[in-house]
Amino acid sequence: MSTQFRINAVTLATTEGEVNYRFPSDLTVLAGPTGVGKTTLLELIKFGFGGDARLATVAQEHVNDVILDVTIGDQRLRIARSLDSTKRKKARVTDLTAQERLPDHHIGTAQPSLNTLLLSALGLPDDMKAAASGQSTKAGSRISFNDVFSVLYLPQYEINIDIANSRQSYLEPKRKIVFELMFGLTDSSILDMRSQVNLLKGKIATATEQYNTVLQFLRDSSTTQRIEAEEALQRAFVAEREAESERTVLREEIDPVVDRHTQVMRDLLTEAERSLADTRATAKELQRQKNECAQERRRVQSDLDRLNRMRDAGERLANIEFLVCPRCMQSLSGREVPADTCRVCLQPDPVEASGEEDQYELRQLTQQLEEMDDQLDSLVLGISEANDAAEGRENLVQKLTEELDSRTVDRVTPRLQAYSDATERLATARAQRSNSKECCASGIASTTWKTQYRNYALSRIGSRPGSTRRH
């Protein structure tokens, strides 16, 4: 069986107009130096068929649409696909034989799909799967038109490196089956049967695992016949009910039954824990206030130091006699200076400041420092008292906890141990009951378990999906 697959023409809608390439001969050779666009044209053809092509920059910038005129089987189609990022997800298809515009086809799995259309034209269904041979238990991955096209077109960058993705071992089933399809060595029904065979292998593996699990249980329980398993099941039921009853009684006994003194101690413990939390919060708040007060004191001390430096600098400069002008460096000693004027600028000397304003600011800053020192001392004392109180409450909480533990340990510990033992016995009884019930429900009638269960498991393969049970 062979199917005609021919590219009749390719039209590129570019920014400078349409460019047409026609292939009327049975053999067409594209020849030319590197960089003239041979690979670009072939990649655009691959893109037109819905594939992921490596498009050159010149194609991305100047080509708007790729239009293919192809003959596949008995159909002649025109397929147009846009390079625009928002429009490339659909292809415009026209049936040239019937001169009918078909609905736009999706690039992907959404229907109508271009992949389905092209495979149907080749006479192939779109749900074929490539099932691997050997020990595989999977149906296989789906075969698409791109898998077929990878056999028809080999990009230049893969020549001498990879032939039809031959280095990718996971594509081996697809590659082999596509070649078989192209040369008529297989068909979709055979592929479906291969997938079914792999799924049945998986069911056999599941049944075998169940079979081995039951055999292991039989070896562990020294059970060989159905009646013994039923008796073990009944014993497991009885053991489970007894363990459940014992655990219920122990649970009721564990419920706290306290006297008045113990209840008072618990109330005191709750109050002590609450008071401890409040004390710790108070100490944390006082520490925060202390940090803020210390930071503010450093700021006031800095202002006070700055004021003292200014006063000291003024006093030092007041007694300096200038012999030359500090600006133009001319001598000041050869001119007459009126009384009560500045020797430099000859303006009247200002009245000496009494220093009351500076003294007022100095007193204010000094007073602030004293108040802050008192506040810091108070905060430090409060923090110390809060820490002492917190330590006392911690000791009280520890003492009350130890006393409560000592009053309850003698009562609760034996019951807790008994409750734990009863819970463990209940879990063991339930596991034994589950195992025995599974074996009794397996349909084994008499004689030995091994042969009967194997026949039973194999008879059910294919009738329902296998399920693995853990014991």
Side-chain angles (χ1 to χ4, degrees):
M1 183 190 87
S2 62
T3 301
Q4 183 182 12
F5 188 103
R6 180 183 179 84
I7 300 176
N8 303 313
V10 177
T11 301
L12 303 180
T14 69
T15 56
E16 299 179 358
E18 289 190 353
V19 180
N20 295 295
Y21 300 91
R22 298 192 177 277
F23 310 105
S25 303
D26 293 337
L27 176 64
T28 301
V29 178
L30 301 179
T34 302
V36 298
K38 302 185 297 299
T39 302
T40 300
L41 177 60
L42 295 174
E43 289 293 318
L44 286 170
I45 293 174
K46 179 180 179 181
F47 179 80
F49 280 118
D52 295 329
R54 292 189 179 184
L55 300 179
T57 303
V58 63
Q60 297 179 11
E61 293 178 352
H62 297 286
V63 178
N64 297 325
D65 296 277
V66 179
I67 304 170
L68 304 179
D69 181 348
V70 297
T71 299
I72 306 177
D74 298 331
Q75 300 187 38
R76 185 173 180 182
L77 304 173
R78 179 188 292 123
I79 303 172
R81 186 183 180 190
S82 174
L83 270 71
D84 185 81
S85 59
T86 59
K87 299 179 181 179
R88 63 171 56 190
K89 297 180 180 179
K90 290 185 178 181
R92 304 182 300 277
V93 182
T94 302
D95 187 343
L96 296 179
T97 303
Q99 293 297 317
E100 178 184 1
R101 171 70 185 273
L102 303 180
D104 291 347
H105 284 61
H106 296 272
I107 308 299
T109 58
Q111 297 295 333
S113 169
L114 182 61
N115 175 72
T116 303
L117 175 66
L118 296 175
L119 286 176
S120 299
L122 288 172
L124 301 174
D126 66 344
D127 58 350
M128 295 183 300
K129 295 182 179 180
S133 58
Q135 300 300 321
S136 176
T137 59
K138 297 182 180 179
S141 56
R142 190 172 181 176
I143 298 177
S144 66
F145 179 79
N146 286 331
D147 297 317
V148 177
F149 194 76
S150 67
V151 179
L152 304 178
Y153 165 61
L154 181 64
Q156 179 182 355
Y157 53 82
E158 292 185 359
I159 297 177
N160 298 329
I161 299 177
D162 202 353
I163 305 299
N165 299 316
S166 61
R167 292 190 176 185
Q168 299 178 8
S169 59
Y170 69 93
L171 291 178
E172 178 64 26
K174 274 190 177 183
R175 184 167 51 251
K176 179 179 178 182
I177 290 174
V178 167
F179 275 108
E180 292 177 353
L181 285 171
M182 294 296 97
F183 291 98
L185 302 177
T186 187
D187 55 30
S188 59
S189 60
I190 295 177
L191 296 182
D192 183 64
M193 285 188 288
R194 287 183 183 177
S195 298
Q196 293 297 325
V197 166
N198 284 351
L199 294 177
L200 290 175
K201 288 180 181 178
K203 294 181 178 180
I204 292 174
T206 301
T208 302
E209 184 178 355
Q210 292 179 338
Y211 167 66
N212 293 330
T213 300
V214 173
L215 285 184
Q216 184 63 40
F217 167 74
L218 296 177
R219 284 193 293 266
D220 295 341
S221 61
S222 300
T223 304
T224 57
Q225 295 186 5
R226 180 187 183 89
I227 188 171
E228 294 181 9
E230 292 178 346
E231 292 175 355
L233 176 61
Q234 294 300 323
R235 291 195 298 271
F237 270 120
V238 173
E240 180 183 1
R241 288 194 295 268
E242 292 177 353
E244 183 65 35
S245 301
E246 182 181 0
R247 195 173 70 155
T248 302
V249 173
L250 291 172
R251 184 187 296 114
E252 295 175 353
E253 292 181 358
I254 291 176
D255 291 340
V257 180
V258 297
D259 53 18
R260 182 177 181 81
H261 181 68
T262 303
Q263 186 62 45
V264 172
M265 291 180 60
R266 287 184 176 175
D267 294 341
L268 289 175
L269 177 60
T270 302
E271 179 63 24
E273 291 174 342
R274 184 194 61 78
S275 178
L276 175 60
D278 293 342
T279 305
R280 286 176 175 171
T282 301
K284 186 176 181 180
E285 176 64 20
L286 292 175
Q287 183 64 40
R288 184 189 64 80
Q289 295 179 8
K290 175 178 174 293
N291 295 336
E292 292 179 353
C293 186
Q295 183 178 1
E296 182 67 17
R297 187 188 184 286
R298 287 193 294 270
R299 186 191 65 78
V300 174
Q301 183 65 49
S302 177
D303 292 342
L304 182 60
D305 294 340
R306 177 180 53 80
L307 181 60
N308 289 330
R309 287 194 299 271
M310 292 174 57
R311 292 185 59 192
D312 183 63
E315 292 176 355
R316 291 176 180 272
L317 293 174
N319 298 325
I320 296 177
E321 291 292 337
F322 289 93
L323 299 179
V324 294
C325 177
R327 182 178 181 276
C328 62
M329 302 304 293
Q330 298 184 60
S331 175
L332 301 177
S333 58
R335 62 176 180 167
E336 182 179 357
V337 180
D340 298 330
T341 59
C342 175
R343 185 177 183 82
V344 178
C345 63
L346 301 180
Q347 297 185 47
D349 271 343
V351 180
E352 294 183 0
S354 61
E356 292 182 0
E357 294 181 0
D358 293 343
Q359 292 295 330
Y360 174 76
E361 186 175 0
L362 182 63
R363 287 196 301 271
Q364 289 293 323
L365 293 175
T366 303
Q367 186 177 359
Q368 288 184 21
L369 282 179
E370 293 175 355
E371 293 176 354
M372 289 181 180
D373 289 338
D374 294 340
Q375 186 176 1
L376 282 173
D377 293 339
S378 177
L379 289 173
V380 169
L381 180 61
I383 292 173
S384 177
E385 292 176 353
N387 289 334
D388 293 341
E391 184 179 359
R393 285 169 175 77
E394 286 179 355
N395 294 333
L396 178 59
V397 168
Q398 182 178 359
K399 182 179 179 181
L400 290 173
T401 302
E402 291 176 353
E403 188 171 350
L404 281 173
D405 290 343
S406 64
R407 291 180 62 87
T408 57
V409 67
D410 294 335
R411 298 182 180 182
V412 175
T413 300
R415 292 184 175 88
L416 284 176
Q417 184 61 42
Y419 182 79
S420 177
D421 295 341
T423 302
E424 184 177 354
R425 288 194 297 273
L426 177 61
T428 301
R430 285 178 175 174
Q432 293 176 350
R433 177 182 61 80
S434 177
N435 293 340
S436 301
K437 185 177 180 180
E438 180 68 20
C439 291
C440 290
S442 63
I444 303 172
S446 61
T447 65
T448 62
W449 285 87
K450 183 174 181 180
T451 304
Q452 294 290 341
Y453 187 79
R454 183 175 182 277
N455 295 334
Y456 162 77
L458 292 177
S459 66
R460 300 193 63 183
I461 293 175
S463 62
R464 63 176 179 82
S467 60
T468 302
R469 298 183 182 272
R470 302 180 61 183
H471 300 283

